[in-house]
Amino acid sequence: MAKPIPALTGIRFVAAAAVALSHGGSQFLEGTSLALDISIGTLGLFGMSVFFTLSGFVIQYNYGGSIAGSPRKAIPEFLVARIARIYPLFVVLFLVELLTGPIVWPWLLGTDAPAEGFSWHIVPFQLGMIQTWFFANVAGVAPVWQYEEIGIVSWSVSTEWFFYLVFPLVCPLLARIRTVPAAILCAIGAVTIELGIDLAVLMLQDRINLFALHAYGTGAALPNWKNTLLLWIVYFSPFCRIWEFVLGCCLAKLHDVWSAQDFRPPRALLDIAAIVGVGAIGWVFWFTAHKTPFGATMSLFDIARNNIALAAPVALILVAAAQPVSRAGRLLSARWLVFLGEASFAFYLTHIIIYQRFPLARWETAGQLLGHLGALALAFTLATCVAIMLHFGLEMPARRRIRSWHQMASPEQRKRLVRFGSVGLATLVGAAATYALRDAAGDAVTQSGISVVSATYGGNCRWISARGNATSALAAACNGKDACTFASMARIGDPAPGCAKEFTAAWVCKGDPTIRSSSAADERAMISALQLSCNAVTRDE
């Protein structure tokens, strides 16, 4: 059994808290500050990069040696241990949401179910934890956005499950790393590969965007964001994010090599590494908050900040934190932080449930912002308490029972379990491929004339939270027409009082392979008009 590294448990809660503060900020702190809005979103990106890189470190550190040494025995035990760790709490919370949420009650009462974002077809993929393995348009949204609460945060469980299944294949290669240069080269290679994927997306984004638009509908293309194919590729997809997991595995091998050589890195060097990592993360936050928000195209930074731009500096912090002599190691090993880290998975799954029980309201003055911060602190504290109770009352007992059952099972029972699991997983993967390929072969743009892709009023003031807030209104007014004049901003509402808002629109015309867009800053946008045409675009006062 590998020697525990308390700091790695402590940093788990830091990651979960970053995600929870990001979700809480988008709900409780929605107001007039663009920089605050953007920084809140970046917190969530940071938390996920910590999760994935840390996961690779912990999995390699605890299981790498046994799987490389005796794979036939160790691989089943590893997979059972991971299922026992993540599945009981996830499936209980998901089923509770499913049976009490808006997807079931309309059906029981004989009323119409919500038109978008809820589909029974995705339930097997959620329960099989493969909803991020494919992209499709199901009930108007991608599988990762199905359902209200647990479904929204459980995408990372699906991505992690993919990592766990791939890990036994990576182990033999990692076992060959026996020197410090080889471990460092491994880490650099993982960063380089993921950065290469980002570069490929950058160069091919126009083609990807057009494919998404025609295959999955206008909502899957930029300048939309939440439900786009590009976001799935660079953020949700395990095929891209796995290199952060591999990066963590390489860092664990570096730690193992140092331990085998009885080498202790100088404390000053470790502290410098942590400071550089924190500084690089701070720069990503600062630059994101001060750059112009992307529109119909993204820069390399816009792409990389969703994955490796934050994972690479996180790696430096993990290297330092794994050594107890470093300042990072001592800070993250605080007993209260380690205690909360043990319940971090429960906290990650439940915080959104607690948050959505609070009423939504915008802030406009400093006094109102202070009150909203208090509400966020209360919701955060309640979520923490609930998570601790679920961890000790459900998560840990279920984990012990599953692992105990596996240890007592006969060889024949274990073989049947492996066969059943393999067939079930293969069936789900085949069904997922069918969903993905079904849409990819068609053309979602069927109407003649204008098809609105996205419309945003005040995106320069609210960025992500305002993106697409005018799409439905503009589409209702202009879709199917050869030319259209839209002058109904009053129907959209004011997303940022006191801010000089821009009105932006993007649309396609049947038979034209390009996405047309227009953006105009106008302090009097509420009384102005935007003209869309399949020939030209002008703005009238």
Side-chain angles (χ1 to χ4, degrees):
M1 184 67 180
K3 182 181 178 181
I5 304 177
L8 299 186
T9 303
I11 201 172
R12 265 181 20 214
F13 182 75
V14 172
V19 174
L21 290 174
S22 177
H23 291 156
S26 64
Q27 177 169 331
F28 292 94
L29 305 183
E30 182 180 355
T32 59
S33 172
L34 176 63
L36 178 61
D37 187 39
I38 295 173
S39 299
I40 286 169
T42 308
L43 261 179
L45 305 181
F46 162 72
M48 297 317 303
S49 286
V50 174
F51 271 135
F52 292 151
T53 310
L54 176 64
S55 177
F57 193 118
V58 171
I59 295 300
Q60 170 60 35
Y61 181 72
N62 288 320
Y63 299 99
S66 60
I67 290 177
S70 54
R72 292 179 64 87
K73 176 185 178 183
I75 290 176
E77 292 179 350
F78 162 70
L79 293 176
V80 168
R82 300 324 298 162
I83 291 173
R85 174 72 174 85
I86 65 176
Y87 200 69
L89 182 61
F90 158 70
V91 76
V92 168
L93 292 176
F94 175 69
L95 290 176
V96 167
E97 179 190 352
L98 189 67
L99 297 175
T100 60
I103 191 173
V104 171
W105 286 110
W107 176 72
L108 291 176
L109 298 175
T111 59
D112 292 334
E116 183 174 273
F118 299 94
S119 172
W120 284 103
H121 298 176
I122 301 300
V123 171
F125 301 115
Q126 286 274 356
L127 294 176
M129 299 184 294
I130 69 165
Q131 68 269 26
T132 61
W133 297 16
F134 68 107
F135 186 89
N137 184 338
V138 183
V141 298
V144 294
W145 292 109
Q146 294 282 335
Y147 315 118
E148 277 195 310
E149 295 161 352
I150 299 303
I152 292 175
V153 297
S154 66
W155 72 266
S156 62
V157 177
S158 171
T159 301
E160 284 273 2
W161 179 231
F162 180 86
F163 299 165
Y164 298 155
L165 293 174
V166 171
F167 178 66
L169 304 177
V170 179
C171 267
L173 299 176
L174 293 170
R176 298 182 180 183
I177 297 176
R178 296 185 177 89
T179 64
V180 170
I184 294 175
L185 186 63
C186 172
I188 293 174
V191 172
T192 302
I193 292 173
E194 187 153 337
L195 184 59
I197 295 173
D198 290 344
L199 283 168
V201 170
L202 175 70
M203 293 185 291
L204 297 173
Q205 63 177 306
D206 290 339
R207 295 185 180 183
I208 296 171
N209 217 29
L210 281 172
F211 168 77
L213 187 150
H214 288 283
Y216 304 110
T218 54
L222 293 178
N224 297 299
W225 181 236
K226 174 180 174 179
N227 197 46
T228 61
L229 178 60
L230 279 167
L231 177 61
W232 175 78
I233 292 173
V234 301
Y235 186 64
F236 294 115
S237 165
F239 311 109
C240 176
R241 303 305 294 269
I242 193 172
W243 297 105
E244 293 167 61
F245 178 84
V246 173
L247 172 61
C249 293
C250 299
L251 301 180
K253 288 300 296 185
L254 176 63
H255 182 85
D256 289 342
V257 170
W258 279 344
S259 298
Q261 297 175 353
D262 198 23
F263 173 74
R264 293 177 176 81
R267 173 180 163 182
L269 181 63
L270 295 171
D271 290 344
I272 290 172
I275 291 171
V276 170
V278 171
I281 292 169
W283 177 84
V284 171
F285 273 78
W286 179 87
F287 189 74
T288 302
H290 289 82
K291 72 179 293 294
T292 303
F294 65 86
T297 59
M298 294 191 294
S299 67
L300 179 60
F301 177 81
D302 293 324
I303 296 170
R305 80 183 191 96
N306 290 282
N307 45 60
I308 203 62
L310 288 165
V314 163
L316 296 175
I317 298 173
L318 288 181
V319 169
Q323 302 295 328
V325 298
S326 70
R327 290 183 184 274
R330 293 203 304 274
L331 288 173
L332 293 168
S333 297
R335 295 178 65 179
W336 66 271
L337 196 57
V338 174
F339 174 77
L340 293 176
E342 294 287 351
S344 60
F345 181 63
F347 178 71
Y348 173 75
L349 288 182
T350 56
H351 73 272
I352 195 72
I353 300 175
I354 303 299
Y355 288 175
Q356 293 196 4
R357 299 303 180 269
F358 282 73
L360 297 177
R362 286 173 49 82
W363 65 271
E364 296 181 10
T365 66
Q368 290 174 343
L369 175 59
L370 186 62
H372 284 221
L373 286 170
L376 174 57
L378 175 61
F380 188 94
T381 303
L382 287 174
T384 304
C385 295
V386 171
I388 292 171
M389 290 188 290
L390 284 173
H391 174 68
F392 288 103
L394 173 61
E395 190 179 354
M396 288 186 65
R399 188 191 315 174
R400 286 194 296 265
R401 180 160 297 187
I402 291 173
R403 299 188 71 168
S404 174
W405 174 87
H406 182 259
Q407 291 173 355
M408 294 187 296
S410 66
E412 185 59 32
Q413 288 175 322
R414 295 184 183 185
K415 288 180 181 179
R416 284 200 298 267
L417 179 64
V418 170
R419 286 195 294 267
F420 176 79
S422 301
V423 171
L425 181 63
T427 302
L428 285 175
V429 170
T434 301
Y435 263 105
L437 295 174
R438 177 197 62 184
D439 293 332
D443 189 349
V445 181
T446 57
Q447 63 188 356
S448 60
I450 296 168
S451 292
V452 173
V453 176
S454 176
T456 299
Y457 177 52
N460 60 309
C461 302
R462 289 290 306 152
W463 202 45
I464 289 295
S465 61
R467 190 176 290 260
N469 62 350
T471 302
S472 297
L474 187 63
C478 298
N479 274 1
K481 300 179 180 179
D482 293 327
C484 176
T485 299
F486 182 79
S488 303
M489 255 72 83
R491 292 167 49 192
I492 303 167
D494 194 342
C499 178
K501 290 164 283 296
E502 292 182 356
F503 184 79
T504 61
W507 67 96
V508 292
C509 298
K510 183 67 175 177
D512 186 347
T514 61
I515 298 177
R516 306 185 181 203
S517 62
S518 176
S519 176
D522 188 352
E523 295 183 4
R524 295 182 298 147
M526 296 292 286
I527 59 172
S528 61
L530 182 70
Q531 291 185 348
L532 281 67
S533 171
C534 284
N535 296 313
V537 59
T538 59
R539 186 171 181 84
D540 294 336
E541 296 283 59

